[in-house]
Each structure stands twice: as C-alpha cells, then as structure tokens.
Amino acid sequence: MTFEKIIFYLFATILVLAAVRVITSRNPVHSALFLVLAFFSSSALWILIEAEFLAITLVLVYVGAVMVLFLFVVMMLNINVDVMREGFIKYLPIGVAVAIISAIEMGIVITGNFSGDKSPALVRKGADYSNTEAIGQVLYTEYLFAFEVAAVLLLVAIVAAISLTMRKRPNTRSQNPSSQVIVKKEDRLRVVKMDAEGKGS
Amino acid sequence: MMEMFIDLLFILLKAFAIIIPLMLGVAYLTYAERKLIGYMQIRVGPNRVGPKGWLQPIADALKLLMKEIVIPTNANKFLFIIAPMLSIGPSLAAWAVVPFSEGLVLSNIDASLLYILAMTSLGVYGVIVAGWASNSKYAFLGAMRSAAQIVAYEIAMGFALVGVLMAAHSINLYEIVMQQSGGIWHWYWMPLFPLFLVYFISGVAETNRAPFDVAEGESEIVAGFHVEYSGMTFAVFFLAEYANIILIAVLTALMFMGGWLSPFQGIPGLESTFLAAPSIIWFLAKSAFFAFLFLWFRATFPRYRYDQIMRLGWKVFIPITIIWILVLGAVIAAKASYVTLGLCTVGIAGAYMLFNKLQTASRSS
C-alpha cells in the first residue's frame, strides 16, 4: 500500500463517518459541524486527484461561507428533537422508497460509466500544470452559456429570497448615516457665555 | 520510504522556521501595541518586567500558562476546548504559502491566493464555536456579531483579491509580487488604489480589530466570544488574533506594495546600488508598517456602531470593488498600462481630498 492510498482511505473513512453522524447526531449544531468535517475530507480527496482548484473552492465557498450561515441559523433555533421525530413511523415508507430509488440510481451510475475498468486512468500532470487555468479556459469558452445561466439563476434566487422576507413596517426607525456623517459641530452645539452663578444670588 | 521521511522532516523543520519567528513576532506585537498606545495616550506602557519592560510578553505567557482553565457549567466540553484550536489552526496554516523573499517560500503552490482566502475564511469557526459552546449569553452574542461581520467583509475582500489577480494574471503570490517589479509606480497600490483601501480595511474587520471589534465590545458584552475562556485557552485566541494581524499586514505588503521589491527600483542613479536590490528587509519593513497601522487605528478610532459596520461592508465596499473590477477589465481590454491607470487614480483621489478639504474650510469660515 502506498502512502497515497493510506491517506485516501484515512480521509474516505473520516468522510463516511462524518456523513453518517450528520444525520444521526441529536444536536443540530453537531450535525452542522460534522457536515463541515465531511466537506473538509472530501476536499482532501479532491486534492489527491490533483483537482486543487475545486478542493480549495469547496473549502472557501462551502466551509468558509455557506456553513457559517448554516451554523448561524441553526444555533439560534431551539430545535426540539423529540417533536421532530414524532412522525418517524408515519413517514418511514416514503423515506425507505426514496432511499431505495436513490440507491438503485447510484448503483447504475457506478456500475455504468464510472466503474474502475471503463473510465480512463488518472493522467498525472507535472507540477507546472495549472488546474485553475485549465478550468478557467473551458468555463469561459466552451461552457460560457451554461455558466452565465447558472449565475443568473443564483441572482434570481437571491432576489426572490429578499423579496419574500423583506417587509416594510411603518413603525421602524432607521438612521441615515450620510446625514449623520455630514453634521458639523456648529450645527449641534451652541456655546453660551454667562456669568458664574453664586450660591446666594 | 527513507527519503520520504527525510523530506517530511525537512518540511517540518521549515514549518518551525516560520512558526517560531511568527510566535516571537506575535509576543512582541502585543508588547509594541501596549507601548505604542501608551505613548499615544501619554502614558509609558509596561516598563517593570526586565529592562524597559522587554520581558513583559514572556511574563504574560507564563502567567497564562499557570492559570486554571475553567469550564462553565453545561458548556459543551469538547467544543469548548477545541474552539481555540479551530481559531489558531487556519491562521498558522495560511503561512505555508506566504513567500518571504525570492525563493524563500515553504510551498509555492499554484493557487496560493485562493488557499490563503480559504484559510482566512475558516478562522470564524473558532469564534462561532467558542460562543456557542460557552453556554453564555454574552459569548453567544459576540459569536453572532462576529459571524455576520466576517461573512460581510469576506465578500469585499474576495472581490479586492479578484482585482489583484486580474492585474497580475496569476493567483500565485510569488508571481503577483514579481509582476509588480519595475519601481514604486508599478506596485498595485496605485492602479488598484480603491481595492487596496478596501482590502486593508476589510482585513481590519476580518481580524475583529478596533474600530470593528464589536465581537469583543467590552463596553457592551464584556469580552464577547471569549468571556468564559481563561488561562491557556484564552491565550490561544489571543495568539490567533495577532497571528492574523501579522498575516493581513504581510498579505497587504505582498499584493499591493510589491513584497520584497525595493521602492528605489527603477530610479535613475540608484538603479545599480544596493538600495534598489530586492530584499527580505523591504518585505519586513512594509509588513511592520501595516501592522503598526493596526495598532494606530486602535488608539485613534472609536468603535463603529453595528449598523454602520454592516452598511460599510455591504453598501459601500462591495459596490466599490465591483466598479473597480469593471474599470480594470476595461483597462486590460484596451491594453492600456497600469501605470497610467495608477497615476489617474491617485491623481483623482488626491484632487477629491483637496476639494473636500477646501469645501469644509470654506464652510466653517
């Protein structure tokens, strides 16, 4: 067993265990943190297949931004796990059906196109080969249209989310920072000259 | 197998060669901070331990080592202990790709700028986990504030870096520095002047330093996310904060101030002297200057209000960076030189400031 294989199995084991703990752990904050661990291990696996751009982006986008917001929300919720589990028996058949279908689909994909003997072996590139540049080249030429459609979709999602949650309340008071900044001492302060007041006067 | 272990050993030694000076730098940055702010406020600062107080950081470290680590009731013990490590881990890991001088870099990876961005974005976990695991309202409030703030400023920071990599045509830090060679007017602070300001201010916000230190906010929430931490666990948070300050200072020097390149490069008459030669001394001097700015800010500015911080991040910095990326794109497409763009930018900024000064002068008279 080579050093690389040892590392692969180490991170793969951590990944699977963390993914299992995401759905079995009782505390939602623990689940979110296990998801972070799962992202991290899969990013390590991507580094092993020399996809360093994707690996770093996974950490940057999902761990560094998305999961922070996830944690932010989950920590403020007071989730009662028992209430969540009440309908467990009722929804069990549907859940099992979905699980079986996705297992079959995954099986088809794995035994079909991506099985070890059909896919070509990984081509090892030299250290001067830039993964980032290669992805940029195809992303902005061949797949430009798909890329821009995805960007617009995300923008639509942002606009939709904001318009759903934003409501104008008549009674809120807000400050106008630019008018606060522009204020000068003379506008607010008036120095008055007056005689000292004695005790007995 | 044997060769691999020797390689690993060498990498480990090199890592220590970075971390030990860094830790010394952190220790004496705290001393410099107390001394400098002391002098700015007409005090002397620490002067009892050792000659002129030079041993103060060591005494502080010893004191913190000896103190008991108190774990609050009902705190999540595992997360409480691991939070400081989550905080310091990324801030040390980021140093792996920082180039110090020509050929002086631990790991010259291709995507080093992205790697740095990824690592600095992880530091927030230490803060959030600490705030949540402490089982304390104040700590939790601090963690929430910090999470919102860091996410907001990370976007502006990322966009500022997009400008840098567009200008340098590379995401390798070493390459970015080498692209700036040719004299002080080739450094990116001139053509990317707005991005330079946005990056540095976002860096101050990202490290939770004054005037953006609402995560600690002593006057409102005692000490924010590390209220419940004592002894060495507190010290580790402290180390991470100062290591991050040094990192931001170093990155600003690398990306906008030409790293180890000499400011006298390209000046006729000085070209062949030792002054124009690139050297690690220039790099250290520039980084020290930016680290000094961090301390200066703390002594000068009052803390921002929370809504002002959010406004500055989302409504001011992000639009500025997007506009400047468009400008830069136009300049690159027109094949104009960065030097022209830089001179125009700094000229316009200077003219605007002068105009503002004159206007306020005429208003008050």
Short mmCIF file of all heavy atoms in Angstrom, two decimals, chain A residues 130 132-133 137, chain B residues 110-111 113 161-180 188 192 255 328-338:
data_model
loop_
_atom_site.label_atom_id
_atom_site.label_comp_id
_atom_site.label_asym_id
_atom_site.label_seq_id
_atom_site.Cartn_x
_atom_site.Cartn_y
_atom_site.Cartn_z
N SER A 130 -1.34 24.02 -14.47
CA SER A 130 -2.25 24.80 -13.63
C SER A 130 -3.68 24.34 -13.82
O SER A 130 -4.29 24.56 -14.86
CB SER A 130 -2.12 26.28 -13.98
OG SER A 130 -3.12 26.99 -13.30
N THR A 132 -6.25 25.48 -12.21
CA THR A 132 -7.12 26.65 -12.22
C THR A 132 -7.27 27.21 -13.62
O THR A 132 -8.37 27.51 -14.08
CB THR A 132 -6.50 27.73 -11.32
OG1 THR A 132 -6.01 27.10 -10.15
CG2 THR A 132 -7.51 28.77 -10.95
N GLU A 133 -6.12 27.31 -14.30
CA GLU A 133 -6.13 27.87 -15.65
C GLU A 133 -6.94 26.97 -16.58
O GLU A 133 -7.74 27.45 -17.40
CB GLU A 133 -4.69 27.98 -16.14
CG GLU A 133 -4.47 29.14 -17.07
CD GLU A 133 -3.02 29.19 -17.51
OE1 GLU A 133 -2.14 29.11 -16.63
OE2 GLU A 133 -2.79 29.29 -18.73
N GLN A 137 -10.18 28.10 -18.65
CA GLN A 137 -10.21 28.03 -20.12
C GLN A 137 -11.52 27.44 -20.63
O GLN A 137 -12.17 28.01 -21.50
CB GLN A 137 -9.05 27.18 -20.65
CG GLN A 137 -7.69 27.82 -20.53
CD GLN A 137 -7.48 28.95 -21.52
OE1 GLN A 137 -8.35 29.22 -22.33
NE2 GLN A 137 -6.35 29.61 -21.43
N ASP B 110 0.34 26.63 -6.90
CA ASP B 110 -0.18 27.46 -7.99
C ASP B 110 -1.30 28.37 -7.51
O ASP B 110 -1.35 29.54 -7.85
CB ASP B 110 -0.66 26.55 -9.11
CG ASP B 110 -1.25 27.33 -10.25
OD1 ASP B 110 -0.54 28.21 -10.75
OD2 ASP B 110 -2.40 27.08 -10.61
N ALA B 111 -2.21 27.83 -6.70
CA ALA B 111 -3.39 28.59 -6.31
C ALA B 111 -3.22 29.19 -4.92
O ALA B 111 -4.13 29.16 -4.11
CB ALA B 111 -4.63 27.70 -6.37
N LEU B 113 -3.14 32.16 -3.67
CA LEU B 113 -4.03 33.25 -3.23
C LEU B 113 -5.37 32.68 -2.77
O LEU B 113 -5.91 33.07 -1.73
CB LEU B 113 -4.23 34.23 -4.38
CG LEU B 113 -4.90 35.53 -4.04
CD1 LEU B 113 -4.10 36.27 -3.01
CD2 LEU B 113 -5.04 36.38 -5.27
N LEU B 161 -9.38 40.90 -4.01
CA LEU B 161 -8.36 39.98 -4.50
C LEU B 161 -8.58 39.62 -5.96
O LEU B 161 -7.63 39.38 -6.70
CB LEU B 161 -8.33 38.72 -3.64
CG LEU B 161 -7.94 38.95 -2.19
CD1 LEU B 161 -7.78 37.64 -1.49
CD2 LEU B 161 -6.68 39.75 -2.10
N VAL B 162 -9.86 39.60 -6.39
CA VAL B 162 -10.13 39.37 -7.82
C VAL B 162 -9.43 40.44 -8.64
O VAL B 162 -8.81 40.15 -9.67
CB VAL B 162 -11.65 39.35 -8.09
CG1 VAL B 162 -11.93 39.41 -9.58
CG2 VAL B 162 -12.28 38.11 -7.51
N GLY B 163 -9.49 41.69 -8.17
CA GLY B 163 -8.79 42.77 -8.87
C GLY B 163 -7.30 42.50 -8.96
O GLY B 163 -6.69 42.66 -10.02
N VAL B 164 -6.70 42.04 -7.84
CA VAL B 164 -5.26 41.76 -7.84
C VAL B 164 -4.93 40.67 -8.85
O VAL B 164 -3.99 40.79 -9.64
CB VAL B 164 -4.80 41.35 -6.44
CG1 VAL B 164 -3.36 40.89 -6.47
CG2 VAL B 164 -4.96 42.48 -5.47
N LEU B 165 -5.72 39.61 -8.85
CA LEU B 165 -5.34 38.51 -9.75
C LEU B 165 -5.61 38.85 -11.19
O LEU B 165 -4.94 38.35 -12.10
CB LEU B 165 -6.00 37.20 -9.31
CG LEU B 165 -7.49 36.98 -9.38
CD1 LEU B 165 -7.86 36.39 -10.73
CD2 LEU B 165 -7.90 36.04 -8.28
N MET B 166 -6.59 39.77 -11.44
CA MET B 166 -6.79 40.22 -12.82
C MET B 166 -5.58 41.02 -13.29
O MET B 166 -5.11 40.86 -14.41
CB MET B 166 -8.03 41.11 -12.89
CG MET B 166 -9.31 40.37 -13.14
SD MET B 166 -10.71 41.45 -12.92
CE MET B 166 -10.66 42.39 -14.43
N ALA B 167 -5.09 41.89 -12.40
CA ALA B 167 -3.95 42.72 -12.78
C ALA B 167 -2.70 41.87 -12.99
O ALA B 167 -1.92 42.12 -13.91
CB ALA B 167 -3.70 43.77 -11.71
N ALA B 168 -2.51 40.84 -12.14
CA ALA B 168 -1.27 40.07 -12.21
C ALA B 168 -1.37 38.89 -13.17
O ALA B 168 -0.37 38.26 -13.47
CB ALA B 168 -0.90 39.57 -10.82
N HIS B 169 -2.56 38.58 -13.66
CA HIS B 169 -2.79 37.41 -14.50
C HIS B 169 -2.35 36.13 -13.80
O HIS B 169 -1.84 35.21 -14.44
CB HIS B 169 -2.07 37.52 -15.84
CG HIS B 169 -2.56 38.64 -16.67
ND1 HIS B 169 -3.80 38.63 -17.28
CD2 HIS B 169 -2.01 39.83 -16.97
CE1 HIS B 169 -3.97 39.76 -17.92
NE2 HIS B 169 -2.91 40.52 -17.75
N SER B 170 -2.44 36.08 -12.49
CA SER B 170 -1.97 34.90 -11.77
C SER B 170 -2.63 34.85 -10.40
O SER B 170 -3.00 35.88 -9.84
CB SER B 170 -0.46 34.95 -11.62
OG SER B 170 -0.04 33.91 -10.78
N ILE B 171 -2.77 33.62 -9.84
CA ILE B 171 -3.24 33.55 -8.47
C ILE B 171 -2.13 32.99 -7.58
O ILE B 171 -2.37 32.45 -6.52
CB ILE B 171 -4.52 32.71 -8.31
CG1 ILE B 171 -4.40 31.39 -9.03
CG2 ILE B 171 -5.72 33.47 -8.74
CD1 ILE B 171 -5.54 30.46 -8.71
N ASN B 172 -0.91 33.11 -8.07
CA ASN B 172 0.23 32.68 -7.27
C ASN B 172 0.87 33.91 -6.64
O ASN B 172 1.21 34.86 -7.34
CB ASN B 172 1.21 31.95 -8.20
CG ASN B 172 2.40 31.44 -7.45
OD1 ASN B 172 3.09 32.20 -6.80
ND2 ASN B 172 2.62 30.16 -7.53
N LEU B 173 1.02 33.89 -5.32
CA LEU B 173 1.51 35.09 -4.62
C LEU B 173 2.89 35.51 -5.12
O LEU B 173 3.17 36.70 -5.28
CB LEU B 173 1.57 34.83 -3.12
CG LEU B 173 0.25 34.98 -2.37
CD1 LEU B 173 0.40 34.48 -0.97
CD2 LEU B 173 -0.16 36.44 -2.37
N TYR B 174 3.74 34.51 -5.37
CA TYR B 174 5.10 34.79 -5.83
C TYR B 174 5.05 35.54 -7.16
O TYR B 174 5.71 36.56 -7.36
CB TYR B 174 5.83 33.46 -5.98
CG TYR B 174 7.29 33.58 -6.18
CD1 TYR B 174 8.13 33.79 -5.09
CD2 TYR B 174 7.85 33.49 -7.44
CE1 TYR B 174 9.48 33.91 -5.26
CE2 TYR B 174 9.21 33.61 -7.62
CZ TYR B 174 10.01 33.82 -6.53
OH TYR B 174 11.35 33.95 -6.71
N GLU B 175 4.19 35.01 -8.04
CA GLU B 175 4.04 35.60 -9.36
C GLU B 175 3.47 37.03 -9.25
O GLU B 175 3.90 37.94 -9.96
CB GLU B 175 3.11 34.70 -10.17
CG GLU B 175 3.12 34.92 -11.66
CD GLU B 175 4.51 34.78 -12.24
OE1 GLU B 175 5.28 33.89 -11.82
OE2 GLU B 175 4.82 35.59 -13.11
N ILE B 176 2.53 37.20 -8.32
CA ILE B 176 1.91 38.53 -8.14
C ILE B 176 2.96 39.56 -7.75
O ILE B 176 3.00 40.67 -8.28
CB ILE B 176 0.79 38.45 -7.08
CG1 ILE B 176 -0.41 37.70 -7.65
CG2 ILE B 176 0.36 39.85 -6.63
CD1 ILE B 176 -1.47 37.38 -6.64
N VAL B 177 3.88 39.16 -6.86
CA VAL B 177 4.94 40.10 -6.46
C VAL B 177 5.85 40.38 -7.64
O VAL B 177 6.18 41.54 -7.92
CB VAL B 177 5.74 39.54 -5.27
CG1 VAL B 177 6.92 40.43 -4.96
CG2 VAL B 177 4.86 39.42 -4.06
N MET B 178 6.23 39.33 -8.37
CA MET B 178 7.17 39.53 -9.48
C MET B 178 6.57 40.42 -10.57
O MET B 178 7.28 41.17 -11.22
CB MET B 178 7.59 38.18 -10.08
CG MET B 178 8.46 37.34 -9.17
SD MET B 178 9.57 38.26 -8.11
CE MET B 178 11.02 38.35 -9.11
N GLN B 179 5.26 40.34 -10.75
CA GLN B 179 4.59 41.18 -11.75
C GLN B 179 4.67 42.67 -11.39
O GLN B 179 4.47 43.53 -12.24
CB GLN B 179 3.11 40.79 -11.86
CG GLN B 179 2.86 39.47 -12.55
CD GLN B 179 3.05 39.55 -14.04
OE1 GLN B 179 2.98 40.63 -14.61
NE2 GLN B 179 3.34 38.43 -14.66
N GLN B 180 4.90 42.96 -10.12
CA GLN B 180 4.92 44.36 -9.71
C GLN B 180 6.29 44.99 -9.84
O GLN B 180 6.45 46.17 -9.52
CB GLN B 180 4.46 44.48 -8.24
CG GLN B 180 3.06 43.98 -8.01
CD GLN B 180 2.65 44.08 -6.57
OE1 GLN B 180 2.76 45.13 -5.97
NE2 GLN B 180 2.20 42.99 -6.00
N TYR B 188 0.91 47.57 -7.08
CA TYR B 188 -0.53 47.61 -7.36
C TYR B 188 -1.30 48.60 -6.51
O TYR B 188 -2.48 48.81 -6.73
CB TYR B 188 -1.13 46.22 -7.22
CG TYR B 188 -0.72 45.31 -8.34
CD1 TYR B 188 -0.67 43.94 -8.18
CD2 TYR B 188 -0.39 45.83 -9.58
CE1 TYR B 188 -0.29 43.12 -9.21
CE2 TYR B 188 -0.02 45.02 -10.62
CZ TYR B 188 0.03 43.67 -10.43
OH TYR B 188 0.40 42.85 -11.45
N LEU B 192 -4.68 49.90 -8.31
CA LEU B 192 -5.79 49.29 -7.57
C LEU B 192 -6.08 50.06 -6.29
O LEU B 192 -6.45 49.47 -5.28
CB LEU B 192 -5.46 47.83 -7.25
CG LEU B 192 -5.08 46.92 -8.41
CD1 LEU B 192 -4.78 45.54 -7.92
CD2 LEU B 192 -6.20 46.87 -9.42
N MET B 255 0.66 41.98 -1.87
CA MET B 255 -0.21 42.13 -3.03
C MET B 255 -0.29 43.56 -3.53
O MET B 255 -0.55 43.79 -4.70
CB MET B 255 -1.61 41.62 -2.68
CG MET B 255 -1.61 40.11 -2.58
SD MET B 255 -3.23 39.45 -2.39
CE MET B 255 -3.64 40.01 -0.79
N LEU B 328 -10.94 47.98 -14.26
CA LEU B 328 -9.72 47.22 -14.53
C LEU B 328 -9.88 46.36 -15.79
O LEU B 328 -8.97 46.27 -16.62
CB LEU B 328 -9.41 46.36 -13.32
CG LEU B 328 -8.00 45.84 -13.22
CD1 LEU B 328 -7.04 46.98 -13.06
CD2 LEU B 328 -7.88 44.89 -12.05
N GLY B 329 -11.08 45.77 -15.91
CA GLY B 329 -11.35 44.95 -17.09
C GLY B 329 -11.26 45.79 -18.35
O GLY B 329 -10.66 45.37 -19.35
N ALA B 330 -11.82 47.01 -18.30
CA ALA B 330 -11.75 47.90 -19.46
C ALA B 330 -10.30 48.25 -19.78
O ALA B 330 -9.89 48.25 -20.95
CB ALA B 330 -12.56 49.16 -19.19
N VAL B 331 -9.51 48.52 -18.74
CA VAL B 331 -8.10 48.88 -18.96
C VAL B 331 -7.35 47.71 -19.58
O VAL B 331 -6.56 47.89 -20.52
CB VAL B 331 -7.46 49.31 -17.62
CG1 VAL B 331 -5.95 49.37 -17.75
CG2 VAL B 331 -8.01 50.65 -17.20
N ILE B 332 -7.63 46.50 -19.09
CA ILE B 332 -6.93 45.34 -19.64
C ILE B 332 -7.36 45.10 -21.09
O ILE B 332 -6.55 44.82 -21.96
CB ILE B 332 -7.21 44.09 -18.77
CG1 ILE B 332 -6.50 44.24 -17.43
CG2 ILE B 332 -6.71 42.82 -19.46
CD1 ILE B 332 -6.88 43.20 -16.43
N ALA B 333 -8.68 45.27 -21.35
CA ALA B 333 -9.17 45.05 -22.71
C ALA B 333 -8.60 46.09 -23.67
O ALA B 333 -8.30 45.77 -24.82
CB ALA B 333 -10.70 45.11 -22.72
N ALA B 334 -8.41 47.33 -23.18
CA ALA B 334 -7.87 48.37 -24.04
C ALA B 334 -6.35 48.32 -24.12
O ALA B 334 -5.72 49.13 -24.79
CB ALA B 334 -8.31 49.74 -23.53
N LYS B 335 -5.76 47.36 -23.39
CA LYS B 335 -4.31 47.19 -23.37
C LYS B 335 -3.59 48.47 -22.93
O LYS B 335 -2.50 48.78 -23.40
CB LYS B 335 -3.78 46.74 -24.73
CG LYS B 335 -4.29 45.36 -25.14
CD LYS B 335 -3.45 44.77 -26.24
CE LYS B 335 -3.70 43.30 -26.45
NZ LYS B 335 -5.11 42.90 -26.47
N ALA B 336 -4.23 49.23 -22.05
CA ALA B 336 -3.57 50.42 -21.50
C ALA B 336 -2.63 49.97 -20.38
O ALA B 336 -2.77 48.87 -19.85
CB ALA B 336 -4.62 51.39 -20.97
N SER B 337 -1.69 50.82 -20.00
CA SER B 337 -0.73 50.39 -18.99
C SER B 337 -1.27 50.69 -17.59
O SER B 337 -2.04 51.64 -17.39
CB SER B 337 0.61 51.09 -19.18
OG SER B 337 0.57 52.34 -18.57
N TYR B 338 -0.89 49.86 -16.65
CA TYR B 338 -1.33 50.04 -15.27
C TYR B 338 -0.81 51.35 -14.69
O TYR B 338 -1.44 51.94 -13.82
CB TYR B 338 -0.86 48.89 -14.39
CG TYR B 338 -1.48 47.57 -14.73
CD1 TYR B 338 -0.75 46.40 -14.62
CD2 TYR B 338 -2.79 47.50 -15.15
CE1 TYR B 338 -1.31 45.18 -14.92
CE2 TYR B 338 -3.37 46.28 -15.46
CZ TYR B 338 -2.63 45.12 -15.35
OH TYR B 338 -3.18 43.93 -15.64
#
